[in-house]
Amino acid sequence: MVSILKRYALAALALLTVSGPAQAQDTINIGVSEPLTGAVAASGNYVVQGAKIAEDEINASGGVLGKKIKLIIEDNKSNPKEAVATAEKLIVGDKVPVMMGAWSSTYTLAVMPKLMEYGVPMVVETSSSGKITKSGNPWIFRISPTSEMEAKSFGTKVGDFGIKKADFLVVNNDWGRGAAKEFSKMLKEKDVEVGVIETMDAKATDLSAQLAKVKASGGDTLFITTGVEQLTLALKQAKEQQVKHKVITTGGSSSPDQLIAQAGAAANGSNHLLFFAPWFPETAPNPEVAKKFVAEWKKRGYNFAGLTEGFRGYDGIKTIVAGIKAAGKADPKAIQKALWGVKVKGVNGNIAFIKQGPEGKESGQNVPNVYIVTIKDGKISKL
Amino acid sequence: MDQLLQHFLNAMILGGTYALLGIGLTLIFGIMRVVNFTHGELYTFGAYMMFMFVMPLQTNFFLALLLAVMLGVALGALIEIMLLKPLRGADIDTTMLIMIGAWIAMQNMEQFVWSGIAKSINNPFPADPLVIGAVSVSWSRVFVFVVACALIAGTYALIQWTKLGKAMRATFQDTETAALMGVRINTVYIATFAIGSGLAAAAGALLGPIFVVYPTMGDMAALKSFAIVILGGLGSVGGATIGGFILAMMEELGAGYISSGYRDAMGFLLIIIILLFRPTGLFAQKERIG
């Protein structure tokens, strides 16, 4: 009985594998690994919404290489182990020639050995840890800024903020620790004293101990690096404990409108480093692209708060498709080669890759624009 | 000094909810010998019920809290009747597997209904905190603490002074003898699981408005409850209460003075140390064997 069942199962499996590639003939599949559930789900969902806008726009204008593109979206569940599983599924199961992902630096770093193993390029849309482009993985093409770039860009504004002593509250992963390292390095170079660097588990909800320590440190500015969910908690709890620091968030994933909606008055006075300012699309380097994207986002009834995150998905898919087009075929190796030459007019700005990391196996890194906005009386203003 | 006071205050408030989670689980663990993996999901369920009543349905905050706890009790009774009752007499592994299945099914159900994106719940308390000298605490947390303490005291009174409590204690000591003396074991089991579940739902409903609500929020809560139960000793309500406060204190002080990166590890480190010296937990009650 068992062996008959087993045979049926094998037959079904064989059918599945046979039907897989046949389907791939008329579309070019692009793999996407994002956190759609779990601790940072809001951001992952926004990125996917942006990616879908790019997918529809590209298909409406005839696709690429005469074929339609199809996003195969997998949920990495805000978990690095799951991120590896999604990459394995996308590359081995769906045979995608290129992918986009995986939001958090920790998930991206977890996926990277799989890219090496199977030889598939990945466009990194959000992660900012320096390690990603400096570890010698030639399959990585990152369009988001590194923490170092972000820190450098913020460096020109340190004077405006009048920072004397800064404290840090960062999520305890590659993203948070990387940001604390780069920003504190930059601040020290500008003779700003660095107080405490507090970390929090990505799933932690009670941050009272960390905030008590920040309060006692006596700094004037608190840099926070984490997803919007935890950021909401941090701002609310900082107000509860009367932490008087001026708050600056890094990483571009603060979705300020969501903060205003969920943290209320606690969000007032906070400053946010972003890579797209959807309130002022006319000031973007490619205003036409930005305006069109914002209009489409609104038309679909997506949450406006998600735009600061959603553009990453849009720019990521646009970059990938430009790579496929330049490669002339949907082949991983050809796309990898072609990505080095792409020039894309994205929502953030003009996307092109420079080399980073050890010679001979460099990763691609874009040089994006950075904006700072302030929340004042529940409204967003540009700095 | 101010920092230390603030840490103490935070630990007291946090400890109240840890204790609430712990006593719910210790009752079920101690009396029924069921490793209840759905405990964290009941916590999540309570939080989502609170969200549903307060946000889309615009129910009064305090009424919503009561409804959320009552629904938690009802769901607990339902789980006991549907899943555990047919398994009476089955070995502990079978029950454990069923409960793991129920845990995964419930978590995915929550995700299906409410999506994976975190939700926040408004609360009616003033936004400005209560300031006592150099330390401060939000009114919503004070409320949580007071309600948690009341629930803990209520549960303790129920077990010590009511007929049902007596029956529960008898069942804990020796199920067969209790049954021979006329204790309705089935009723005791249903009541125990329902009360334990109700307490978890209460913790979720209380903390939901302070934190954010999402489907996997129960995982960490369940892990901590298990730790508290082991720390306090199986089946000991007093032990779970003190265990909850000890765990909170360790986390606060560990994060404040050693390293916040190891905040969650601190509590578990303490548990390892305590269990090395007292393998049955701090306040384990004697049970008759044989």
Side-chain angles (χ1 to χ4, degrees):
Chain A
M1 183 61 201
V2 172
S3 70
I4 295 171
L5 261 180
K6 224 182 219 169
R7 259 176 229 151
Y8 271 110
L10 277 176
L13 207 71
L15 276 173
L16 271 177
T17 23
V18 170
S19 64
Q23 202 186 12
Q25 294 296 311
D26 34 314
T27 57
I28 294 175
N29 293 340
I30 298 170
V32 176
S33 171
E34 290 292 327
L36 304 180
T37 57
V40 289
S43 300
N45 280 286
Y46 293 147
V47 171
V48 164
Q49 288 175 336
K52 280 184 177 158
I53 291 182
E55 180 190 25
D56 292 344
E57 192 185 298
I58 288 157
N59 284 339
S61 60
V64 62
L65 308 178
K67 288 177 186 171
K68 296 239 185 275
I69 59 161
K70 186 168 170 246
L71 302 186
I72 302 183
I73 298 156
E74 289 294 328
D75 177 13
N76 65 34
K77 301 182 185 160
S78 307
N79 179 332
K81 279 187 291 231
E82 295 284 347
V84 177
T86 59
E88 187 96 39
K89 189 252 170 198
L90 289 168
I91 297 171
V92 180
D94 300 310
K95 309 220 167 0
V96 299
V98 55
M99 51 184 289
M100 179 177 85
W103 201 77
S104 156
S105 297
T106 302
Y107 319 153
T108 302
L109 285 163
V111 164
M112 281 166 56
K114 287 286 159 203
L115 306 176
M116 291 279 253
E117 186 181 339
Y118 297 112
V120 170
M122 179 162 94
V123 168
V124 178
E125 84 298 337
T126 308
S127 315
S128 49
S129 163
K131 278 192 248 173
I132 291 169
T133 37
K134 286 182 180 159
S135 66
N137 187 325
W139 300 97
I140 285 289
F141 292 85
R142 165 155 57 184
I143 59 169
S144 53
T146 61
S147 298
E148 191 185 354
M149 290 173 166
E150 227 186 301
K152 218 162 137 190
S153 159
F154 181 78
T156 56
K157 302 255 166 61
V158 169
D160 303 350
F161 280 90
I163 307 171
K164 300 254 163 7
K165 182 177 177 184
D167 298 305
F168 288 84
L169 178 63
V170 299
V171 58
N172 194 3
N173 60 26
D174 302 280
W175 175 34
R177 287 193 308 265
K181 190 179 132 210
E182 296 298 343
F183 274 82
S184 55
K185 195 173 114 194
M186 177 274 293
L187 289 170
K188 277 176 193 159
E189 280 165 12
K190 300 208 177 283
D191 293 323
V192 174
E193 193 185 342
V194 173
V196 295
I197 297 179
E198 288 300 295
T199 60
M200 50 196 169
D201 185 84
K203 284 183 186 160
T205 46
D206 190 282
L207 314 170
S208 51
Q210 287 91 332
L211 287 164
K213 219 170 150 185
V214 166
K215 187 182 173 184
S217 148
D220 50 48
T221 306
L222 175 63
F223 285 88
I224 310 182
T225 307
T226 186
V228 61
E229 291 89 344
Q230 207 166 37
L231 199 52
T232 309
L233 297 175
L235 290 177
K236 273 162 90 173
Q237 293 176 25
K239 189 174 161 68
E240 285 169 20
Q241 292 209 12
Q242 297 196 303
V243 176
K244 304 278 190 219
H245 291 56
K246 178 182 284 225
V247 170
I248 299 171
T249 76
T250 84
S253 292
S254 54
S255 303
D257 288 301
Q258 189 170 332
L259 281 183
I260 294 171
Q262 300 202 337
N268 280 337
S270 59
N271 305 280
H272 309 275
L273 267 69
L274 294 173
F275 314 128
F276 176 43
W279 310 274
F280 329 101
E282 63 283 354
T283 60
N286 300 313
E288 293 317 310
V289 180
K291 274 187 211 161
K292 197 172 150 202
F293 176 67
V294 172
E296 181 62 27
W297 186 276
K298 283 186 182 159
K299 205 175 112 196
R300 292 183 180 215
Y302 292 160
N303 186 353
F304 188 85
L307 269 166
T308 50
E309 201 75 39
F311 88 91
R312 302 179 193 268
Y314 180 85
D315 279 2
I317 296 302
K318 288 282 238 186
T319 307
I320 285 176
V321 170
I324 295 172
K325 197 175 171 190
K329 54 183 172 179
D331 169 70
K333 188 94 192 131
I335 296 171
Q336 181 208 23
K337 220 174 136 201
L339 277 170
W340 283 112
V342 298
K343 286 201 166 42
V344 180
K345 280 190 178 302
V347 174
N348 170 272
N350 297 318
I351 299 165
F353 295 104
I354 55 163
K355 288 187 170 180
Q356 262 196 354
E359 215 182 307
K361 39 184 180 172
E362 293 99 337
S363 307
Q365 173 64 53
N366 177 36
V367 186
N369 297 296
V370 182
Y371 307 90
I372 304 175
V373 302
T374 304
I375 298 178
K376 219 173 136 187
D377 303 324
K379 295 242 170 353
I380 285 142
S381 60
K382 203 173 167 193
L383 217 70
Chain B
M1 191 57 203
D2 291 347
Q3 192 191 341
L4 185 67
L5 278 176
Q6 184 73 53
H7 282 313
F8 268 116
L9 185 66
N10 293 343
M12 289 306 288
I13 303 261
L14 190 63
T17 48
Y18 279 1
L20 203 55
L21 275 166
I23 55 174
L25 191 66
T26 208
L27 282 177
I28 295 168
F29 222 15
I31 294 172
M32 303 175 68
R33 293 286 177 277
V34 169
V35 186
N36 181 18
F37 283 101
T38 63
H39 203 64
E41 293 323 301
L42 260 306
Y43 169 82
T44 315
F45 176 79
Y48 270 118
M49 287 300 108
M50 196 70 190
F51 167 76
M52 200 179 77
F53 286 122
V54 175
M55 301 305 282
L57 300 178
Q58 300 281 321
T59 317
N60 174 282
F61 185 85
F62 303 97
L63 179 65
L65 187 62
L66 189 70
L67 288 171
V69 177
M70 279 162 55
L71 284 170
V73 170
L75 181 62
L78 195 71
I79 293 173
E80 151 63 31
I81 293 166
M82 283 179 61
L83 298 178
L84 294 171
K85 206 171 162 199
L87 289 172
R88 290 270 198 278
D91 64 358
I92 192 161
D93 296 338
T94 314
T95 337
M96 201 141 80
L97 283 174
I98 296 282
M99 294 317 272
I100 291 175
W103 163 35
I104 297 171
M106 286 171 77
Q107 190 167 93
N108 282 279
M109 190 76 87
E110 285 143 15
Q111 201 150 292
F112 180 73
V113 177
W114 289 288
S115 90
I117 299 178
K119 307 255 190 288
S120 75
I121 306 171
N122 295 339
N123 70 54
F125 302 101
D128 288 318
L130 165 68
V131 182
I132 317 155
V135 298
S136 62
V137 60
S138 72
W139 285 103
S140 54
R141 284 194 189 223
V142 173
F143 172 73
V144 169
F145 181 69
V146 171
V147 175
C149 287
L151 282 171
I152 294 165
T155 311
Y156 196 75
L158 180 120
I159 288 168
Q160 289 302 324
W161 295 312
T162 66
K163 212 172 165 192
L164 176 66
K166 210 173 194 177
M168 284 164 82
R169 280 182 289 141
T171 311
F172 170 74
Q173 285 186 348
D174 192 325
T175 315
E176 278 86 19
T177 313
L180 286 173
M181 296 296 132
V183 171
R184 286 172 204 270
I185 301 297
N186 261 330
T187 316
V188 169
Y189 279 175
I190 295 171
T192 305
F193 204 88
I195 293 169
S197 299
L199 290 171
L206 285 169
L207 290 182
I210 293 190
F211 301 140
V212 284
V213 185
Y214 56 98
T216 49
M217 66 187 280
D219 292 354
M220 199 46 129
L223 191 66
K224 295 217 164 127
S225 335
F226 274 104
I228 292 160
V229 169
I230 295 164
L231 183 65
L234 297 187
S236 162
V237 171
T241 310
I242 295 169
F245 283 102
I246 292 179
L247 185 70
M249 198 64 84
M250 272 304 284
E251 282 187 10
E252 272 290 330
L253 296 181
Y257 294 102
I258 304 172
S259 161
S260 52
Y262 297 102
R263 175 175 179 153
D264 291 320
M266 297 297 168
F268 294 108
L269 191 71
L270 175 79
I271 289 163
I272 294 172
I273 295 169
I274 289 180
L275 290 184
L276 276 178
F277 295 100
R278 283 192 65 96
T280 51
L282 283 176
F283 303 94
Q285 290 174 14
K286 289 221 172 60
E287 61 176 303
R288 296 200 187 113
I289 298 166

